[in-house]
């Protein structure tokens, strides 16, 4: 097709490696398992796979506590398994994106082991150490994202270290040039092996206020919200100096052809778009989580799209996300029929979509009783856990859904009722819908690259046009539970309905949409 970077044209698929496919019977997914399931991704029609962390880790936060940035945890396999996966993926035309976790390491990382040893250790300054506050206690009032103080006192050297997450995840000091150089080497290690890019964990937290000032109270904090919400993250996040760091990361990656940087950033749109960087020197795709937080009403979504489109810097390429391993699944947030319309929305908006494994079959959150909780956040703050959105992929109706020959690390859904094989046999399943949407998108420059233009619609109908050259499509989505109508400018042909039963039908002047129906039409 057109000569455009793959990460603009393409669709990203997130795999949570612990839960995709187990190959060795330990109940935990692994790289060889992912490799064996690549055909599913090819049949689905995605372009790139983002793997959540696979590096050696004590797994206090399931790999987001890295003990060695240049290796593979034995749970997931070996570096040879990784190379084999990368080769096979590339052989099938799939890109591979790794999860880079720069804000913090594991306390087991040799850097931290050295850093905590002695105040004069050369690695001391690679982490953030401070004396107790004048009256005693932690150096400031910052809170960990998983609840409780963000500082832990270390007996050996009599100082506190900062951890924005668990105490097992000490924050690295990105003001230190040696640390920065070491991290550039980490990126090169993987880029040299052939990885196609990185998703960067909590990018907006990387640099903290130089003086580590107290964060202000959050006036909107509500009882029951996570502890972290008690304070505004004014001094612990989104600091101007982060853009120097990002420019350096980007320069490292730009020494290689055709790689991508995606940033995990939870900020309001006006701040989010700053992460494209001055003159687009930042990350290629600052993750846009608008759809995760939007109310499911046409006018609310329309406003979010317009706001985001208007905020993009010149040349900045948009992206959209419906779910990930930290959020309730879309089928649970919205409901089953709504999840189909949401899939059509995600895959027809302008910008690179990211799909979360399992969403393509309509997998919902699986309740995980508190005493079976794995997620450290759930253990600290009951009710906020992320396990329900991380349960293993049900591949078929056999024991444990074909995910493992052992005991799955998290409970699974009713695999007899919902699994990939059954969905693949049903021509109108949500899996079939995803495949059809991805095929349509792949064959349509208007959908993958074209301009976006909102179309005026009433009630709970969301409508927009996508256009590229001569090709012009109209997307009409009924987000409501009642039938709705949309006047069409000219006669149009339905290309795809979320109900998968009106393909090729000519539509007269008024399009009648059933409850929770979306349609893509050719004008
Ligand atoms: C990111 C990850 C999340 C992890 C946290 C700490 O938000 O997506 O899963 O717990 O960072 O690394
Ligand atoms: Mg395994």
């Amino acid at each position: 097709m057109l000569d455009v970077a793959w990460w603009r044209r393409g669709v990203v698929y997130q795999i949570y490696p612990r839960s995709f496919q187990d190959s060795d019977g330990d109940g935990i997914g692994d790289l060889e398992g992912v490799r064996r399931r690549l055909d599913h991704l090819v049949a689905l029609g995605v372009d790139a796979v983002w793997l959540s962390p696979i590096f050696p880790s004590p797994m206090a936060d399931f790999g987001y506590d890295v003990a060695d940035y240049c290796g593979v945890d034995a749970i997931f396999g070996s570096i040879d398994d990784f190379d084999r996966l990368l080769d096979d993926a590339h052989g099938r035309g799939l890109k591979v994106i790794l999860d880079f976790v720069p804000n913090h390491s594991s306390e087991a990382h040799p850097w931290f082991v050295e850093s905590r040893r002695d105040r004069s250790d050369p690695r001391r300054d690679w982490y953030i150490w401070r004396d107790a506050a004048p009256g005693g206690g932690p150096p400031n009032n910052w809170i960990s994202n998983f609840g409780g103080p963000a500082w832990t006192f270390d007996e050996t050297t009599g100082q506190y270290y900062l951890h924005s997450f668990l105490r097992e995840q000490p924050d690295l000091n990105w003001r230190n040039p040696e640390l920065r150089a070491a991290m550039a080497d980490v990126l090169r290690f993987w880029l040299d092996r052939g990885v196609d890019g990185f998703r960067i964990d909590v990018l907006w937290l990387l640099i903290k206020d130089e003086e580590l000032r107290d964060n202000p109270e959050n006036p909107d904090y509500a009882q029951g919200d996570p502890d972290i919400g008690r304070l505004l993250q004014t001094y612990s996040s989104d600091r101007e100096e982060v853009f120097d760091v990002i420019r350096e990361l980007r320069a490292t990656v730009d020494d290689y052809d055709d790689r991508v940087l995606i940033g995990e950033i939870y900020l309001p749109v006006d701040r989010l778009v700053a992460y494209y960087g001055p003159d687009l020197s930042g990350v290629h795709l600052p993750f846009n989580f608008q759809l995760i937080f939007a109310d499911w009403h046409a006018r609310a979504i329309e406003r979010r799209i317009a706001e985001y489109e208007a905020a993009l810097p010149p040349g900045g390429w948009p992206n959209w996300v419906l779910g990930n391993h930290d959020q309730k699944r879309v089928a649970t947030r919205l409901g089953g029929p709504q999840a189909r319309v949401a899939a059509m929305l995600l895959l027809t908006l302008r910008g690179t979509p990211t799909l979360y494994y399992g969403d393509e079959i309509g997998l919902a959150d699986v309740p995980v009783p508190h005493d079976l909780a794995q997620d450290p956040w759930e253990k600290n703050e009951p009710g906020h856990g992320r396990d329900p959105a991380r349960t293993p992929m049900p591949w078929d109706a056999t024991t444990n859904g074909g995910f493992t020959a052992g005991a799955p690390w998290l409970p699974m859904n009713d695999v007899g009722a919902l699994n990939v094989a059954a969905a693949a046999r049903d021509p109108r399943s949500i899996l079939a819908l995803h495949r059809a949407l991805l095929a349509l998108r792949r064959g349509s420059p208007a959908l993958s690259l074209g301009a976006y233009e909102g179309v005026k619609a009433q009630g709970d109908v969301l409508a927009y046009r996508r256009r590229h050259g001569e090709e012009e499509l109209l997307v009409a989505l009924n987000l409501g539970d009642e039938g709705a109508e949309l006047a069409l400018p000219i006669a149009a042909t339905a290309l795809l309905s979320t109900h998968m039963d009106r393909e090729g039908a000519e539509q007269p002047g008024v399009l009648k949409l059933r409850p929770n129906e979306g349609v893509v039409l050719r004008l």
Side-chain angles (χ1 to χ4, degrees), residues 443-454:
S444 160
L447 283 182
S448 55
L449 298 168
Y452 167 92
E453 192 191 320

Side-chain angles (χ1 to χ4, degrees), residues 286-307:
F287 259 147
N288 164 25
F289 299 126
Q290 294 299 301
L291 294 180
I292 294 179
F293 301 109
D295 289 333
W296 194 244
H297 295 295
R299 299 289 75 77
I301 306 262
E302 182 177 65
R303 221 176 306 117
R304 296 239 185 194
I305 300 170
E307 188 196 2

Side-chain angles (χ1 to χ4, degrees), residues 22-30 75:
D22 180 24
S23 73
D24 60 359
D26 65 355
I28 299 173
D30 41 52
I75 287 184

Side-chain angles (χ1 to χ4, degrees), residues 27-318:
I28 299 173
D30 41 52
L31 293 177
E32 173 58 14
V34 173
R35 197 184 66 81
R36 292 184 194 167
R37 291 297 185 183
L38 288 177
D39 286 343
H40 171 68
L41 305 182
V42 173
L44 183 59
V46 298
D47 299 86
V49 180
W50 149 34
L51 298 171
S52 280
I54 55 166
F55 318 107
S57 165
M59 303 289 167
D61 189 20
F62 297 110
Y64 286 96
D65 48 324
V66 178
D68 172 4
Y69 286 97
C70 298
V72 170
D73 195 283
I75 287 184
F76 297 124
S78 65
I79 194 83
D80 290 340
D81 292 323
F82 177 76
D83 288 342
R84 210 168 303 129
L85 168 60
L86 189 62
D87 265 8
D88 275 21
H90 284 166
R92 286 170 163 83
L94 294 167
K95 307 284 185 183
V96 176
I97 297 169
L98 290 184
D99 211 315
F100 179 49
V101 190
N103 179 69
H104 43 269
S105 72
S106 161
E107 62 174 348
H109 196 295
W111 295 344
F112 189 67
V113 173
E114 292 167 27
S115 184
R116 82 192 313 181
R117 205 155 55 183
D118 193 313
R119 288 198 194 195
S120 63
D121 192 278
R123 299 248 201 258
R124 184 65 168 184
D125 187 49
W126 285 35
Y127 292 83
I128 301 175
W129 293 96
R130 286 294 183 282
D131 290 332
N140 69 19
N141 71 349
W142 294 1
I143 300 171
S144 152
N145 280 273
F146 292 144
W151 296 93
T152 289
F153 185 73
D154 206 44
E155 293 286 347
T156 318
T157 55
Q159 282 192 312
Y160 285 82
Y161 66 87
L162 178 69
H163 50 88
S164 300
F165 293 86
L166 301 173
R167 65 172 62 205
E168 292 89 346
Q169 295 169 292
D171 279 35
L172 287 153
N173 178 17
W174 278 83
R175 293 179 186 273
N176 180 300
E178 288 167 29
L179 179 268
R180 276 149 92 142
M183 283 300 203
D185 286 344
V186 167
L187 296 182
R188 286 188 207 103
F189 173 86
W190 293 107
L191 291 164
D192 287 340
R193 289 198 110 76
V195 310
D196 301 287
F198 302 93
R199 173 267 190 189
I200 310 176
D201 193 61
V202 297
L203 182 58
W204 83 115
L205 303 188
L206 227 50
I207 292 263
K208 288 85 184 167
D209 177 42
E210 184 129 48
E211 298 161 44
L212 301 175
R213 280 170 281 187
D214 275 355
N215 275 329
E217 300 280 324
N218 173 10
D220 297 327
Y221 179 72
Q223 211 58 48
D225 285 354
D227 198 26
I228 181 78
R230 288 195 288 113
L231 302 177
L232 300 174
Q233 303 302 305
T234 311
Y235 295 110
S236 51
S237 75
D238 193 28
R239 308 298 300 171
E240 202 51 38
E241 300 97 310
V242 76
F243 297 105
D244 296 335
V245 175
I246 298 174
R247 196 178 331 103
E248 282 179 31
L249 298 173
R250 174 68 187 271
T252 301
V253 168
D254 278 351
D255 284 341
Y256 298 75
D257 285 340
D258 235 15
R259 317 292 164 108
V260 69
L261 284 181
I262 306 175
E264 185 204 23
I265 299 148
Y266 285 93
L267 285 174
V269 167
D270 60 323
R271 288 304 309 154
L272 172 67
V273 295
Y275 286 76
Y276 286 98
D279 301 319
L280 303 183
S281 61
V283 293
H284 300 95
L285 303 172
F287 259 147
N288 164 25
F289 299 126
Q290 294 299 301
L291 294 180
I292 294 179
F293 301 109
D295 289 333
W296 194 244
H297 295 295
R299 299 289 75 77
I301 306 262
E302 182 177 65
R303 221 176 306 117
R304 296 239 185 194
I305 300 170
E307 188 196 2
Y308 178 65
E309 281 275 350
L312 290 168
W317 184 248

Side-chain angles (χ1 to χ4, degrees), residues 4 13 70 112 200 339 381 394 398 450 497:
V4 171
Y13 182 94
C70 298
F112 189 67
I200 310 176
E381 297 192 78
T398 64
S497 156

